Amino acid sequence: MSAYQVVIIGSGPGGYVAAIRSAQLGFKTAIIEKYSTLGGTCLNVGCIPSKALLDSSEHFFNAKHNFEAHGIALENLKADLSKMVERKAQVVKQTCEGVSYLMKKNKIDVFQGKGSFIDATHIEITAENGEKQTITAEKVIIATGSKPNYFPGMEPDKKRIITSTEALILQEIPKRMIVIGGGVIGLELGSVYARLGTAIDVVEFAPQILPTMDLALGKEMQKTLKKEGFSFHTEHKVTGVKNVGEKVVLTATNKQGETINLEADYCLVAVGRKPYTEGLGLEKIGITCNEKGQIPVNDHLQTTVPNIYAIGDVVRGAMLAHKAEEEGVFVAEHLAGQKPHLNYNLIPGVVYTWPEVASVGKTEEELKTMGVPYKAGNFPYKALGRARASMDLAGFVKILAHAETDEVLGVHILGARAADMIMEAVVAMEYRASAEDIARISHPHPTYTEAVREAALDATAKRALHI
Ligand code: FAD
Ligand code: NAD
């Protein structure tokens, strides 16, 4: 029986990064993955494939709608979805192979099969062909991730009523698509198809889309996406979705109690994800999941069983790849006796629509609820020379700073390249910068980052220069 110091169950960004860091720290390490490719949700059916399709569809959208204004004329423009999906598959393949290479490089043993606890130190692995083997582990890190969630009446049949996984492999551009949930997946995958010409109906339970982010972001995003072919039905409760052959029919009730019916070729269910622990045998080791299905952990990400840790989507907190990675590093370093640090307040969130949305720290609504005195600074993209040059005029940077100390408490950006720009805010906030600190740093001209400086000037002393 093979014996390891650290065994990780699940090879998503949490699991494979935990394995690499454990091996770097000198632990004899193994990783167990039930699928034949490594990388988990993120690499196989999440972050990477969705961004690949977002990039392809963005090229098509720009060629169709924006090139002409730049003096570029195209004829017979056509979107070939099969080719886009094939390119995406290649990107996924290369990225997953990269993880396999990293496992080899770090001398991590990879077991393909479903891992299940026999007891706290013995794990049984069942391969696809049914063969079983058992390995032993001094420490175990559970990184089994999550699966798409749904509510009664909207059960995906994976044919016409689909989850994000099927939405990444459609072979035809739908004429109409209903998206239940105006969150991250709904807007990203909705954008892919809207850019290819699909009419998108978003049915959202909350009063606006992106309800958990700073509300200014969703409000502006809603306006922008309407121009791309989105319709929004906010404050609507879905009562049922049916596959009626060639199409789907959805019924929902609005705030006034009126019923609406929507028809489309497909309905994408994107109402969040749920932690995945099926078949892990948690009952055999006395771990009980909470009401959200998460594995309870303490500040060291240790479960109620002392030698077993859990990270990523299967525990509390944002369901994000970089959060899972940080937790993987954290646990490995903790096991090595180090004192790692993880600032959950500074895990940035990004929505890869165009314009992009990116956020870090507290939202204005959170500061109000917490009773923290704050001041807000804003700067619109349309006042930037860079934005006029690229014609990316939509968006703004919003900075929230403490009213008395000027410390930056939250930064929220909607606009071109917001995903990359947010890192300036994360670094500044990690070092507890004030809005004035950011305002006094030279920002290259002409760049979108000038909007960060201007918003900081606005926050610190209401003295933006270019508006
Ligand atoms: P996962 O990536 O879910 O990996 C868990 C792995 O464990 C899986 O491979 C699973 O097969 C395996 N496993 C489960 N049980 C067992 C078992 N018993 N034995 C062996 N193996 C097992 N996040 C971002 O930060 N940025 C993005 O742009 C982004 N885009 C996304 C787009 C989509 C469409 C989706 C669905 C998600 C996206 N996410 C994104 C979220 C991100 O994918 C997750 O937060 C991340 O993958 C979580 O990592 P994890 O390691 O916890 O789990
Ligand atoms: P989400 O939590 O982002 O959005 C779900 C949306 O569905 C919310 O707006 C919610 O109000 C709405 N909703 C919930 N129940 C509903 C109902 N019954 N009817 C109508 N609307 C309802 O979840 P998601 O978009 O499914 O994404 C799942 C997870 O994956 C998220 O936690 C996200 O962090 C992660 N993810 C991240 C990225 C990224 O980082 N760019 C991309 C995709 C997914």
Side-chain angles (χ1 to χ4, degrees):
M1 196 185 304
S2 306
Y4 294 92
Q5 287 172 295
V6 180
V7 169
I8 294 118
I9 310 179
S11 72
Y16 87 74
V17 168
I20 294 173
R21 191 70 189 115
S22 299
Q24 282 178 345
L25 289 162
F27 292 117
K28 188 175 182 217
T29 306
I31 189 163
I32 308 170
E33 170 54 55
K34 69 173 180 166
Y35 289 125
S36 55
T37 56
L38 303 180
T41 304
C42 175
L43 271 60
N44 290 282
V45 291
C47 326
I48 300 300
S50 58
K51 266 79 257 181
L53 288 184
L54 276 159
D55 283 334
S56 298
S57 59
E58 193 188 327
H59 287 314
F60 176 76
F61 184 85
N62 282 333
K64 189 163 180 188
H65 298 282
N66 298 329
F67 277 14
E68 204 181 340
H70 285 275
I72 304 165
L74 285 172
E75 276 172 21
N76 302 324
L77 187 69
K78 190 172 147 277
D80 182 342
L81 183 60
S82 311
K83 202 160 179 181
M84 289 183 186
V85 170
E86 174 52 29
R87 188 194 78 90
K88 175 219 70 176
Q90 285 305 319
V91 173
V92 167
K93 186 169 173 282
Q94 284 164 12
T95 316
C96 292
E97 284 170 359
V99 177
S100 295
Y101 160 79
L102 291 172
M103 295 302 104
K104 276 199 198 87
K105 182 184 165 214
N106 287 285
K107 300 188 174 43
I108 296 159
D109 287 345
V110 177
F111 291 90
Q112 197 272 310
K114 185 146 184 158
S116 187
F117 287 99
I118 296 172
D119 58 38
T121 53
H122 291 77
I123 300 163
E124 182 178 73
I125 303 163
T126 310
E128 246 167 318
N129 62 8
E131 268 176 36
K132 290 182 192 293
Q133 63 178 309
T134 301
I135 61 173
T136 68
E138 285 170 29
K139 309 279 184 208
V140 183
I141 305 175
I142 302 173
T144 49
S146 62
K147 288 273 178 246
N149 196 15
Y150 53 85
F151 295 104
M154 57 171 92
E155 292 82 358
D157 64 3
K158 301 193 179 179
K159 292 186 177 79
R160 297 251 160 215
I161 305 168
I162 58 176
T163 71
S164 54
T165 304
E166 296 75 49
L168 293 167
I169 47 171
L170 290 186
Q171 290 298 317
E172 55 179 15
I173 301 171
K175 285 198 175 58
R176 298 199 75 89
M177 183 186 269
I178 300 166
V179 177
I180 310 180
V184 200
I185 291 182
L187 299 189
E188 287 188 356
L189 293 181
S191 286
V192 167
Y193 289 103
R195 291 165 182 175
L196 301 179
T198 306
I200 306 283
D201 278 294
V202 175
V203 184
E204 166 60 55
F205 193 66
Q208 69 158 76
I209 59 169
L210 299 177
T212 54
M213 298 186 91
D214 191 284
L215 293 185
L217 297 169
K219 212 169 139 201
E220 191 65 23
M221 183 47 54
Q222 210 157 315
K223 277 193 231 154
T224 314
L225 290 180
K226 271 187 188 162
K227 293 182 203 147
E228 262 186 35
F230 276 73
S231 303
F232 294 99
H233 310 272
T234 51
E235 292 188 272
H236 276 69
K237 184 174 163 33
V238 174
T239 46
V241 197
K242 275 204 182 76
N243 175 343
V244 289
E246 294 292 286
K247 58 181 184 180
V248 288
V249 179
L250 175 140
T251 51
T253 46
N254 64 17
K255 218 168 64 164
Q256 290 76 36
E258 296 154 349
T259 300
I260 63 152
N261 294 302
L262 296 171
E263 276 187 15
D265 306 308
Y266 293 93
C267 173
L268 167 63
V269 181
V271 293
R273 293 177 61 84
K274 55 184 175 205
Y276 182 71
T277 53
E278 221 178 274
L280 250 186
L282 291 181
E283 63 290 348
K284 295 201 190 119
I285 49 171
I287 291 180
T288 312
C289 294
N290 66 18
E291 67 289 349
K292 291 181 180 163
Q294 297 160 336
I295 297 179
V297 286
N298 65 16
D299 288 349
H300 301 301
L301 293 153
Q302 189 177 31
T303 68
T304 46
V305 180
N307 72 314
I308 300 177
Y309 292 73
I311 60 172
D313 282 11
V314 82
V315 301
R316 81 282 181 275
M319 286 183 162
L320 295 172
H322 42 290
K323 177 261 194 185
E325 287 188 34
E326 290 309 318
E327 290 183 336
V329 170
F330 180 98
V331 171
E333 293 182 351
H334 173 75
L335 293 179
Q338 298 184 3
K339 302 243 173 315
H341 157 80
L342 210 173
N343 187 347
Y344 283 99
N345 184 44
L346 296 188
I347 304 274
V350 173
V351 191
Y352 295 83
T353 44
W354 196 266
E356 292 170 334
V357 174
S359 236
V360 66
K362 299 281 179 255
T363 66
E364 188 161 356
E365 294 72 34
E366 282 170 336
L367 292 178
K368 277 186 187 149
T369 310
M370 291 160 69
V372 176
Y374 69 91
K375 46 195 181 172
N378 284 282
F379 194 80
Y381 265 54
K382 63 174 186 275
L384 292 172
R386 185 73 191 86
R388 276 194 296 277
S390 67
M391 289 176 49
D392 282 307
L393 296 165
F396 59 86
V397 175
K398 171 173 173 178
I399 296 189
L400 302 166
H402 195 282
E404 285 132 32
T405 65
D406 200 36
E407 180 176 350
V408 179
L409 302 174
V411 177
H412 309 283
I413 309 175
L414 184 144
R417 300 191 199 161
D420 297 295
M421 278 166 50
I422 199 67
M423 275 317 295
E424 172 177 7
V426 181
V427 173
M429 290 170 72
E430 191 64 58
Y431 288 94
R432 302 197 61 179
S434 64
E436 187 180 350
D437 289 330
I438 295 180
R440 289 192 180 277
I441 294 170
S442 172
H443 286 68
H445 174 75
T447 60
Y448 303 112
T449 68
E450 288 172 284
V452 178
R453 177 181 183 230
E454 294 276 5
L457 276 169
D458 191 42
T460 192
K462 291 284 158 223
R463 58 175 187 87
L465 293 162
H466 289 88
I467 199 150

